[in-house]
Amino acid sequence: MHRILTLLAVVALSATAADTTLLNVSYDPTRELYADFNAAFAKHWQEKTGKSVQIDQSHGGSGKQARSVIDGLAADVVTLALGYDIDVIAEKAKLLPADWQQRLPHNSSPYTSTIVFVVRAGNPKGIKDWDDLVRSGIKVVAPNPKTSGGARWNYLAAWAYALKRNGGDEAKAEDFVRRLYANVPVRDGGARGSTITFSERGIGDVLLGWENEAYFLTAGDGAKKYEIVTPSISILAEPPVAVVDKVAKKRGTTEVAQAYLEYLYTPEGQEIAARHHYRPRDAEVAAKHASSFATLELVTIDAVFGGWKKAQETHFNDGGVYDRIAAE
Amino acid sequence: MSIPRLIALSTSLALIAGAPCIAAEGGGATLEERLAELDQEVRILKRQSEIAAEEAANKAKTASSTNVNDKGFSWASADKGFSLKIGAYVQTDGRFYLDDDNATPLLADKFLVRRARVVVSGGLGPWIDYRIMPDFAASTILQDAYANAKLAPAAQIQVGLQKAPVGLERLRSGAALTFLERGYPTSLAPNRDVGVQLHGDVGTFGRYEVGVFNGTPDGASVATDVNDDKDGAARLWFTPFAAGDIDLLRGLGFGVGGTLGFANGATPSHTSIGQAVIFTYRAGTTAEGRHTRVHPQLFWSGGPFSLLAEYALSQQEIEVVGADEEVEIDAYQVQASWVLTGEEPTWRGVKPKRPFAVGGDGWGAFELAARVTGIDFGDAHDLALAAATAVREATTYGVALNWHLTGNLKWQIDYEHTEFDGGGALGEPDRDTEQALSTRVQFSF
């Protein structure tokens, strides 16, 4: 009898085990997005192919996640905060081709986001724009640009503001960003860590970070505790996605991994992104959710910084401008 | 941020919280504002401390490690897969032969460096280990040079120059011996040989070793071969009570080792415990033909006591002009020790609980040991294959006092009394009794 029950349990477990599993290595704040998206894709895949798929998630600072993949974390897909982090995976680990970004629409970026501020309810410190973040006594919470992709977007957004304000003067922009980071006493490894530091640990006057994180924080009861402050200018953040070719080929998941990322571009995928406060690429879905997103001047990394490679080398590589600022 | 600063700020917060609420004169921050400021400082310091700890932990995961300690020098990758360890042991002996009027150089009282070995070992990834050990004492000799592939705990493949898996006391490290010299059964076992062995642990129940080697004469090491014949060597070791509830039996192991092969070459000679040559075959003999060995063996340690027992039988076909004979030589040893200071005398030696230190109050560990070991060449004599001066039999009674000052420093004193049957010179039937008083200082890491 015991053996029969054991056999039945094995059969039952086999029936519920997914036909395929994917590992999506993502950046820090996308937990809720992919929880919903993965459920939707799994349902779609089952209906389309009759096969089940289970998607496992890994979240962390974008740079740190990229290093994990380079060091051997077997990601079928990566959905990171910035293109440079996937470029590094292609260059150092040769896990996908150098032209990966041309394989999906919009430079493989199914949604965009930007950088905004979150303050305590009532905005007691009167934060209105970037200049307020460098005032004496203001404590800003932001993650560490050495590990977090969102933190690099933060830094570049601040730099872009300072450039515009000072007629393109790089030295003054550096001074501005230096004063900003002098007001950042805690630098978590990733964007979600900063959100928790600001909200649950009650540290800081203003959280500098992803727009979607700001909406996440101010949803529900959060609206009584926090407010979003939209700066006058910010940066257009384009988090990209990619199949990790060598891993997917080895695991036999290329087809489903490709379908998974393509599903982000479908109306349902775009709706899910919009619901989680990521700016959709699809014009119809974007129009439908236009009122959910603040209107502000957005600059691109290509226009202001000459692209990610140049920005990374100048500001974030070892010995770059950020290291100089952080050492003071 | 430092814990003391965190405590200082928390204390300030508590003190201010207890004071009456007053506004500072001249329009400065109110007490509530100051409290809020201090509260923020404490929270920030705490979070900075947490982040620093997280970063240190992450760094430790990817950082290689360097260690210098009582076990030597070692370097390891973050995942410990790749490692290099350098250790060594050096033994300086004093050998004094009592009542010895014999002028033969081999029995001259002397100091000598018995072993001076550097051990280079480590891992090349998670499943390959290696060991290289040269000895620089008398001349430079490569003792060990092998790699071990750990396919599974029960299935490992070791290739290279290594101890053949046969003699129990031979398999014990030269740095862990209870007496200065191993007993007679070891002189019948192969020493180092070049080959490949499959070995593994079968849970805690025991282990097995089976291999193919070039083949060596009794007690010898070889680094090459002179014929196509190879020796098979195997050993089974049982520790059935290792995981049991009976404390006294947990340290019991027993087994048997042996070899089967064909020898072609010079016949071996044998020495006494005092290192004098006591047996050779007569001129014109060669080892030619089947050579088998069997070594039943036992080791037990419990509390401060240990017991080692081994029997060895070596059967070798010997060729001499006009005859082929199979000669049997057998040997035995029973050795017991008692660590007076209570430490356990394990297979790897004694580690003192309270090491000796100048100015300290520890005295290390003291170990008393006794043994009897014998070897019988009677068969060779009966077959008229022994040299005229070869003894028929030797029996050694030994006592030892070992002072384990620290885990790295040991001082040993042995007295070994050896009586011989046969091998006498100058008309005497028996070789003179050998009384060897020996001492050793060993440092190791």
Side-chain angles (χ1 to χ4, degrees):
Chain A
M1 182 60 178
H2 177 69
R3 286 172 72 180
I4 292 172
L5 286 172
T6 305
L7 184 62
L8 284 171
V10 168
V11 170
L13 281 169
S14 303
T16 56
D19 294 312
T20 313
T21 58
L22 290 183
L23 175 61
N24 174 4
V25 172
S26 190
Y27 59 113
D28 216 12
T30 56
R31 289 169 174 75
E32 292 78 18
L33 165 67
Y34 282 107
D36 277 353
F37 178 77
N38 292 348
F41 176 74
K43 182 167 175 278
H44 159 76
W45 189 250
Q46 178 75 49
E47 286 167 359
K48 181 182 173 186
T49 66
K51 292 179 184 172
S52 60
V53 60
Q54 175 183 313
I55 300 110
D56 295 327
Q57 289 292 134
S58 167
H59 293 276
S62 185
K64 193 160 158 261
Q65 292 288 73
R67 280 196 284 279
S68 296
V69 173
I70 291 167
D71 288 343
L73 180 58
D76 298 277
V77 300
V78 285
T79 57
L80 297 181
L82 48 112
Y84 180 80
D85 287 341
I86 302 182
D87 284 336
V88 166
I89 296 173
E91 183 190 327
K92 289 194 189 307
K94 309 273 191 274
L95 292 173
L96 67 168
D99 65 348
W100 62 271
Q101 204 154 15
Q102 276 68 60
R103 302 193 297 188
L104 285 169
H106 300 293
N107 272 343
S108 289
S109 176
Y111 54 78
T112 66
S113 191
T114 188
I115 302 299
V116 298
F117 313 153
V118 177
V119 298
R120 308 283 171 195
N123 197 356
K125 296 294 174 88
I127 306 294
K128 296 186 189 62
D129 205 349
W130 289 100
D131 280 334
D132 296 309
L133 301 190
V134 301
R135 284 179 6 219
S136 172
I138 294 294
K139 290 184 183 51
V140 179
V141 173
N144 186 342
K146 299 296 273 190
T147 52
S148 163
R152 280 174 274 173
W153 288 116
N154 289 348
Y155 172 109
L156 294 174
W159 193 285
Y161 166 80
L163 274 180
K164 185 182 176 186
R165 189 177 182 283
N166 293 287
D169 189 325
E170 295 279 353
K172 285 184 177 171
E174 180 174 333
D175 181 64
F176 178 84
V177 173
R178 177 181 296 106
R179 286 189 291 136
L180 169 61
Y181 277 91
N183 281 355
V184 180
V186 174
R187 298 172 206 184
D188 284 89
R192 180 54 57 91
S194 289
T195 302
I196 293 171
T197 292
F198 180 75
S199 58
E200 294 178 21
R201 291 189 170 88
I203 292 174
D205 303 305
V206 54
L207 170 68
L208 178 62
W210 290 106
E211 179 179 50
N212 62 281
E213 279 292 90
Y215 282 107
F216 170 73
L217 202 50
T218 54
D221 282 345
K224 297 176 192 169
K225 300 181 203 170
Y226 314 106
E227 294 177 12
I228 297 176
V229 172
T230 305
S232 59
I233 183 173
S234 193
I235 196 159
L236 179 68
E238 298 176 281
V241 301
V243 172
V244 183
D245 294 43
K246 281 197 178 166
V247 173
K249 187 177 174 188
K250 190 176 174 186
R251 297 188 70 247
T253 57
T254 304
E255 188 193 353
V256 63
Q258 183 68 21
Y260 176 76
L261 296 183
E262 285 171 356
Y263 200 68
L264 282 164
Y265 292 86
T266 62
E268 186 176 14
Q270 293 283 290
E271 276 287 340
I272 293 172
R275 278 208 306 273
H276 287 278
H277 308 291
Y278 295 85
R279 296 179 178 230
R281 291 288 199 184
D282 184 284
E284 276 187 37
V285 177
K288 183 179 162 190
H289 292 272
S291 60
S292 304
F293 297 99
T295 305
L296 69 163
E297 182 183 351
L298 293 174
V299 299
T300 65
I301 190 164
D302 286 343
V304 179
F305 298 97
W308 258 115
K309 191 168 190 298
K310 196 171 171 195
Q312 177 74 27
E313 283 168 3
T314 304
H315 293 277
F316 306 115
N317 277 357
D318 289 344
V321 178
Y322 176 74
D323 278 351
R324 201 160 60 231
I325 288 171
E328 292 173 12
Chain B
M1 190 54 62
S2 69
I3 301 297
R5 188 169 169 201
L6 198 60
I7 294 170
L9 276 168
S10 303
T11 307
S12 304
L13 199 67
L15 284 170
I16 291 169
C21 182
I22 54 172
E25 290 182 3
T30 65
L31 186 61
E32 280 169 356
E33 285 168 350
R34 286 165 63 195
L35 267 173
E37 186 69 28
L38 280 168
D39 178 61
Q40 275 291 291
E41 283 290 320
V42 170
R43 288 171 190 258
I44 287 168
L45 286 170
K46 190 178 171 193
R47 183 62 192 141
Q48 286 175 340
S49 177
E50 287 168 0
I51 289 173
E54 286 163 17
E55 286 174 357
N58 285 332
K59 201 173 176 185
K61 285 180 198 167
T62 57
S64 62
S65 61
T66 302
N67 288 295
V68 180
N69 52 34
D70 61 335
K71 294 181 180 52
F73 304 86
S74 64
W75 297 265
S77 60
D79 61 2
K80 308 296 179 209
F82 289 85
S83 63
L84 169 67
K85 181 170 177 290
I86 297 178
Y89 61 97
V90 176
Q91 299 168 340
T92 304
D93 292 0
R95 306 283 178 117
F96 307 98
Y97 300 94
L98 309 180
D99 287 339
D100 170 24
D101 297 324
N102 196 326
T104 6
L106 278 172
L107 289 183
D109 296 347
K110 56 178 153 306
F111 294 107
L112 71 146
V113 175
R114 177 67 175 87
R115 295 180 179 91
R117 296 180 174 180
V118 174
V119 183
V120 178
S121 61
L124 298 171
W127 57 279
I128 300 181
D129 291 340
Y130 63 90
R131 178 183 170 95
I132 302 170
M133 184 177 76
D135 188 327
F136 302 101
S139 57
T140 302
I141 299 174
L142 187 62
Q143 295 283 352
D144 293 331
Y146 62 78
N148 182 49
K150 299 178 288 186
L151 305 175
Q156 304 185 42
I157 300 175
Q158 187 159 296
V159 178
L161 178 61
Q162 59 195 287
K163 286 184 182 176
V166 180
L168 176 66
E169 206 178 17
R170 169 59 65 198
L171 290 170
R172 199 175 198 186
S173 167
L177 299 175
T178 304
F179 285 81
L180 267 64
E181 295 297 339
R182 294 179 170 93
Y184 291 118
T186 301
S187 69
L188 299 182
N191 191 344
R192 265 84 171 176
D193 204 347
V194 184
V196 55
Q197 67 166 292
L198 175 69
H199 67 104
D201 294 315
V202 182
T204 59
F205 187 73
R207 63 180 284 105
Y208 73 95
E209 293 140 329
V210 56
V212 176
F213 297 89
N214 279 335
T216 77
D218 289 342
S221 294
V222 291
T224 184
D225 206 352
V226 295
N227 57 49
D228 293 341
D229 298 313
K230 299 290 165 269
D231 279 14
R235 178 172 175 262
L236 295 174
W237 182 253
F238 302 99
T239 51
F241 309 105
D245 296 329
I246 308 173
D247 286 349
L248 213 54
L249 293 179
R250 278 208 205 104
L252 176 64
F254 54 88
V256 63
T259 65
L260 174 64
F262 290 85
N264 302 95
T267 51
S269 59
H270 292 272
T271 59
S272 65
I273 295 293
Q275 303 302 291
V277 176
I278 57 171
F279 176 88
T280 57
Y281 286 90
R282 68 177 169 87
T285 54
T286 55
E288 198 74 35
R290 184 183 296 271
H291 184 191
T292 57
R293 300 179 180 94
V294 64
H295 281 245
Q297 51 201 243
L298 177 147
F299 181 82
W300 169 81
S301 67
F305 303 103
S306 76
L307 177 70
L308 183 151
E310 189 173 3
Y311 173 79
L313 175 65
S314 173
Q315 295 172 317
Q316 170 71 69
E317 288 183 356
I318 301 291
E319 192 177 272
V320 68
V321 175
D324 285 337
E325 300 288 356
E326 183 179 85
V327 176
E328 284 186 5
I329 302 174
D330 67 331
Y332 66 92
Q333 176 178 214
V334 179
Q335 178 190 116
S337 80
W338 174 23
V339 182
L340 303 174
T341 40
E343 290 88 340
E344 186 180 350
T346 69
W347 180 248
R348 295 186 189 278
V350 177
K351 187 160 174 143
K353 286 180 192 165
R354 299 182 65 210
F356 174 82
V358 175
D361 58 1
W363 279 95
F366 290 90
E367 180 184 22
L368 265 180
R371 72 167 168 188
V372 56
T373 180
I375 190 163
D376 186 346
F377 305 103
D379 202 36
H381 279 273
D382 295 341
L383 294 168
L385 292 173
T389 56
V391 304
R392 257 191 101 82
E393 203 172 322
T395 308
T396 300
Y397 305 89
V399 290
L401 173 62
N402 300 328
W403 182 17
H404 304 267
L405 287 85
T406 70
N408 304 106
L409 186 62
K410 175 166 77 169
W411 183 25
Q412 295 175 267
I413 302 176
D414 285 5
Y415 172 71
E416 309 253 30
H417 178 101
T418 306
E419 293 175 355
F420 301 100
D421 179 17
L426 303 172
E428 295 292 325
D430 299 325
R431 185 184 174 95
D432 287 345
T433 298
E434 182 183 273
Q435 299 183 78
L437 180 65
S438 308
T439 184
R440 168 174 292 169
V441 172
Q442 173 184 291
F443 73 82
S444 62
F445 58 86

